[in-house]
Amino acid sequence: MGGNALKDHGAQRLSAAEALRIGEKARRAIQALQSNDGAPVRAEIVTAYRNKETYGDIDMVVSDSVKRDFGNASMSELLGNVLGGGQPLPFIANGGVASFGAPLEQGGVFQVDLLYTPASQFDFALSYFSWNDAGNLIGRVAHKMGMKFGHNGLWLPFREGDYLFTEVLVTRDFDKAVRFLGFDIARWRQGFDDLIQLYQFISASKYFDKDIYLLENRSHNARVRDAKRPTYTGFLKWLREAYAGDDFKDWPACKAAWLPQIFAAFPEAEAEWRVAEADLSRQREIKRKFNGELVSSLSGLTGTELGALMQQVRHSFMDKNAFESFILSASESEMEKLVAMQKSLLEGKT
């Protein structure tokens, strides 16, 4: 957040040494907490490029059990005991992120952002957030392949036209994901002294194409978001000034062309994809046999009355599975009887 969440509390930018000192003190305090279920609490500072001289804030990936078991007020007090001389600290929560301010001798505070993360996603998230927005730059390649690369894993959206039906998890093994996307994982593990090294790493992907990064080739929302990211805009500047290559990838017109390659590398994802296909087919059949036009023709109702009847039919079953099983197996006459009976019951209520 760059210190912006606590600007009203006088958030300050600090030298790397002082920022990391505060971050490490907070990390140890959080990791010493005991979760209610006995699971260990993890807290790890997100790694930035090594030559970074100043920090506007520190990002820290933290077990989401901390959010569940302690809450904002308790965390403000607990961290205040460690960093604030016993006084509660400014603490602002926004979804899965919480920001607190460690008080400074010169006045103001230094912002630390806690990125609450489930245990199953922790290692992937820690790598994804590392190296100053590298995950976002890597994710552009995943997007061109029809996938989504985020802090919670590598995913394969399953769509029906423009409608996102579900998402299939491809992998939460960060090394496998990055390698599949054409990047040198051994080079990644070495880390980066500065942003130029990071930019060179991104452009060395075997699938690199500078056109996929240009803001004019992005959606409006992506364009607005990434135009505010210093690492992203710095990469675009580097491409214009330092990148000599003019090669481009001949991307398939249809992203589905990548599916055989994805499934060959991640067979578990193919199995989940086939399940999604079957589920979509099931939902299509349910919609064919139970829809507004059909129920209206059977009942003579329209508008809000029709909507109420359709809800009445759905709620007449024990649960969603029971409703769907009946619809899939019902004959036309059984559907007529069901609609007539529920219409009668609905009219008796009104």
Side-chain angles (χ1 to χ4, degrees):
M1 293 184 182
N4 293 327
L6 296 175
K7 61 182 179 181
D8 292 341
H9 295 271
Q12 304 291 314
R13 195 170 189 90
L14 297 181
S15 68
E18 183 62 10
L20 291 171
R21 183 190 68 79
I22 292 173
E24 178 58 22
K25 198 170 183 180
R27 189 194 71 81
R28 290 198 300 268
I30 294 171
Q31 196 152 286
L33 298 173
Q34 296 295 317
S35 63
N36 291 343
D37 60 8
V41 170
R42 295 184 66 186
E44 299 291 346
I45 294 173
V46 172
T47 304
Y49 63 87
R50 287 183 282 261
N51 291 344
K52 187 172 183 177
E53 296 181 351
T54 63
Y55 284 71
D57 62 22
I58 284 284
D59 291 333
M60 191 182 307
V61 180
V62 176
S63 300
D64 64 349
S65 60
V66 170
K67 176 183 177 182
R68 179 194 66 218
D69 295 343
F70 295 92
N72 299 339
S74 294
M75 286 299 294
S76 174
E77 185 175 338
L78 287 165
L79 291 167
N81 290 335
V82 176
L83 299 169
Q87 297 297 316
L89 303 183
F91 199 96
I92 298 174
N94 181 18
V97 179
S99 302
F100 72 85
L104 304 173
E105 291 183 4
Q106 67 268 32
V109 300
F110 179 67
Q111 180 175 316
V112 179
D113 292 336
L114 308 181
L115 313 177
Y116 293 126
T117 305
S120 61
Q121 303 171 15
F122 196 97
D123 291 329
F124 199 100
L126 185 59
S127 293
Y128 177 87
F129 289 124
S130 295
W131 309 117
N132 301 76
D133 212 22
N136 184 39
L137 294 172
I138 292 172
R140 295 300 306 135
V141 173
H143 178 76
K144 290 297 290 186
M145 292 181 174
M147 294 187 288
K148 185 175 76 172
F149 182 75
H151 66 276
N152 58 352
L154 181 64
W155 296 82
L156 186 58
F158 185 98
R159 300 181 184 276
E160 183 180 26
D162 294 332
Y163 170 64
L164 178 62
F165 182 73
T166 189
E167 291 182 320
V168 172
L169 177 62
V170 176
T171 185
R172 284 206 176 107
D173 185 319
F174 189 85
D175 287 9
K176 286 184 179 179
V178 170
R179 188 181 298 113
F180 181 78
L181 296 173
F183 295 91
D184 182 353
I185 192 61
R187 176 64 187 90
W188 170 273
R189 292 189 191 123
Q190 294 172 16
F192 309 99
D193 292 334
D194 53 39
L195 289 175
I196 299 302
Q197 289 186 355
L198 171 61
Y199 298 158
Q200 291 169 339
F201 167 79
I202 296 297
S203 66
S205 166
K206 68 180 181 179
Y207 298 124
F208 178 75
D209 177 355
K210 65 181 180 182
D211 284 353
I212 70 177
Y213 293 93
L214 301 180
L215 293 179
E216 58 263 34
N217 296 331
R218 309 290 306 282
S219 69
H220 172 74
N221 289 340
R223 196 160 54 240
V224 171
R225 181 190 67 236
D226 286 336
K228 299 176 182 178
R229 295 175 181 260
T231 300
Y232 197 98
T233 56
F235 181 55
L236 295 179
K237 184 174 184 290
W238 178 81
L239 285 177
R240 289 193 301 269
E241 297 178 356
Y243 180 70
D246 57 2
D247 296 336
F248 65 92
K249 173 102 179 134
D250 186 14
W251 295 97
C254 178
K255 292 177 180 179
W258 289 97
L259 290 179
Q261 190 172 335
I262 295 169
F263 294 155
F266 304 99
E268 301 86 354
E270 181 176 13
E272 291 299 315
W273 185 269
R274 302 309 173 201
V275 170
E277 286 181 327
D279 193 21
L280 177 59
S281 178
R282 172 186 169 93
Q283 294 304 316
R284 284 173 175 162
E285 181 65 7
I286 291 169
K287 188 173 182 179
R288 185 187 71 80
K289 297 185 68 176
F290 183 79
N291 57 71
E293 183 178 354
L294 174 65
V295 176
S296 178
S297 68
L298 294 175
S299 66
L301 300 180
T302 60
T304 56
E305 291 180 331
L306 174 61
L309 175 58
M310 293 184 71
Q311 288 298 316
Q312 173 79 13
V313 172
R314 289 189 180 94
H315 295 158
S316 67
F317 293 85
M318 182 179 302
D319 53 34
K320 181 181 178 182
N321 285 336
F323 163 72
E324 292 184 349
S325 295
F326 175 85
I327 296 299
L328 288 169
S329 62
S331 64
E332 289 185 13
S333 62
E334 287 172 329
M335 285 296 300
E336 291 174 4
K337 290 178 182 178
L338 172 65
V339 171
M341 180 175 66
Q342 295 306 320
K343 180 184 178 184
S344 176
L345 289 173
L346 184 64
E347 290 172 342
K349 292 179 181 178
T350 58

